[in-house]
Amino acid sequence: MQFDDNDAVFVRELGIDDIAPIYHLGEELFTNELYPYLYRTWDEWEVIGLYNTDPEYCLVAEIDGELAGFILGTIITKASLTYGYILWLGVNPKCQRQGVADKLVDKAIARMIEDGARFMLVDTDPANVPAIKFFSRKGFGNTREHVFLSMNLSQHEHYGRLIEYEFQKAERAGYRRFTQRSRRNPNIRAGKADAAANEVILNPLVNESSNSDE
C-alpha cells in the first residue's frame, strides 16, 4: 500500500527489495561506538522478521526515490490491552531535518490506532539523546531506563571445568596415538602429539636410559 503525499517525503510499506538497504542504513546509524545497546540487537533478522510478521507497521520513507528512512513496529495484545510498539526508527543522515521521522511515526501510529492500539511504547539507548528529545516532542513520556548487567563467561567455574575436560580429552587422544606408534616402533621418542591432539606435549613414555642409541 502507498500513501498519498503532496510534499517531498513519500511514505510506503516496506517491500522485499528494501530489506538490504534498510539493514545497511541501520548498520550505519546504530553503531557500537555511539549506541552499544542498539548495536547489540540490530541485525538482518530484525528487518526480515518484522517484514514477515508485521508488514503493515513497517514503513519506508523516500525523497526523490532515495531511501530517506524507515520505521519498524508491531502490535502486541496482553489480556485486554492492545498496544503499539515502535522497535526501530532510522533516518538517512543526508535527509535530516526534512520531517522524515515525523512522517514515519505519524503514519505508523495512525495505522496502529486503526488496528485497536490504545497505548504506545518506544525504547532506545539512553545515550541516544536526539531520539529521546524527538519522541518527547511527539508526546511520549514516562521515561524508564533499563539496567544491563554482563558477565565474562571465561571466568566462570563451568567454563574452567569444560576447558580442563577438553584438555584431558586431547591429552588422552594423543597418549593413545603415541602408544600405538610406540608398539610398532619401540625406539620412538615422546614428542608433541599431532594436530588432532591440539599439540599437547606428552610426558616421556620410554625411559631414555633404556634406549640403546642414547
Side-chain angles (χ1 to χ4, degrees), residues 152-194:
N152 184 349
L153 292 180
S154 65
Q155 299 177 358
H156 193 279
E157 61 179 15
H158 182 73
Y159 182 86
R161 290 197 298 268
L162 178 63
I163 293 300
E164 178 64 21
Y165 169 77
E166 293 295 335
F167 180 86
Q168 292 176 357
K169 185 169 68 172
E171 190 174 42
R172 288 194 299 270
Y175 177 88
R176 286 195 297 271
R177 275 187 286 275
F178 179 83
T179 54
Q180 290 170 357
R181 291 197 300 270
S182 64
R183 292 193 188 100
R184 293 193 296 270
N185 182 3
N187 292 323
I188 191 170
R189 293 172 57 86
K192 287 187 178 181
D194 55 26

Side-chain angles (χ1 to χ4, degrees), residues 12 18 21-22 25 60-63 65-70 92 95:
R12 60 174 174 81
D18 299 311
I22 285 177
L25 177 57
V60 173
E62 293 179 339
I63 296 178
E66 182 179 6
L67 176 63
F70 63 88
N92 190 326
C95 302

